[in-house]
């Protein structure tokens, strides 16, 4: 899931998910050109008939957090990467409610994968997904 990160006390801070279109009056901090999230944001803004106010592009999630903490704009990051930054920099966050902001990562292995590959898959995936993939594998 992608989350919106905001400076402490920002007007969009609150509970619950927020639609991306409701953020388009804000200045944005994003990763460098070519980043999948930047492309998704630009496409979503175009679909809403609005412009995407990109103020600054940086090279890392940590740099995004520093720019947001400095009050230069808001940003969207993967939740797993965002939450440690939010805690460390005393930022706030909200889920984005748009379907494109929910990512589903999948790991595929061959039916005849060796034990090392299976162990890596089991390490990367939550237990519930591993069990589901094993059931599908042996049908």
């Amino acid at each position: 899931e992608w989350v919106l990160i905001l400076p402490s006390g920002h007007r969009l801070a609150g509970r619950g998910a927020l639609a991306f279109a409701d953020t388009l009056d804000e200045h944005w901090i994003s990763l460098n050109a070519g980043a999948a999230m930047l492309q998704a944001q630009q496409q979503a803004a175009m679909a809403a008939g609005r412009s995407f106010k990109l103020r600054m592009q940086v090279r890392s999630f940590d740099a995004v957090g520093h720019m947001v903490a400095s009050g230069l704009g808001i940003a969207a990051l993967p939740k797993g990467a965002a939450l440690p930054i939010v805690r460390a920099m005393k930022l706030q966050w909200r889920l984005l409610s748009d379907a494109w902001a929910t990512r589903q990562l999948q790991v595929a292995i061959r039916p005849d994968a060796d034990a090392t590959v299976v162990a890596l898959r089991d390490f990367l995936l939550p237990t519930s997904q591993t069990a589901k993939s094993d059931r599908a594998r042996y049908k």
Side-chain angles (χ1 to χ4, degrees), residues 1-7 10-14 16-24 26-29 37 41 52 64 68 73-79 82-83 86 91-98 100-101:
E1 293 175 301
W2 289 85
V3 297
L4 184 68
I5 62 170
L6 310 154
H10 191 276
R11 71 175 187 85
L12 293 176
L18 182 68
F20 177 73
D22 294 337
T23 70
L24 291 174
E26 302 295 322
H27 288 284
W28 278 81
I29 310 299
M37 184 59 177
Q41 291 168 314
F52 181 61
V64 168
V68 171
I74 63 174
L77 293 176
K79 187 176 179 182
L83 295 185
V86 165
L91 301 173
Q92 295 182 310
W93 67 277
R94 290 184 73 179
L95 285 173
L96 285 169
S97 62
D98 304 81
W100 58 265

Side-chain angles (χ1 to χ4, degrees), residues 47-120:
R50 306 273 310 275
S51 62
F52 181 61
K53 298 177 182 177
L54 183 59
R55 175 173 272 177
M56 186 174 298
Q57 292 176 274
V58 295
R59 298 184 99 159
S60 70
F61 292 155
D62 192 50
V64 168
H66 283 289
M67 298 301 107
V68 171
S70 297
L72 294 173
I74 63 174
L77 293 176
K79 187 176 179 182
L83 295 185
I85 292 168
V86 165
R87 283 190 291 275
M89 298 184 191
K90 297 181 174 52
L91 301 173
Q92 295 182 310
W93 67 277
R94 290 184 73 179
L95 285 173
L96 285 169
S97 62
D98 304 81
W100 58 265
T102 302
R103 303 182 313 163
Q104 183 178 21
L105 302 177
Q106 298 180 347
V107 176
I109 61 174
R110 296 169 45 140
D112 61 343
D114 69 25
T116 305
V117 173
V118 173
L120 177 61

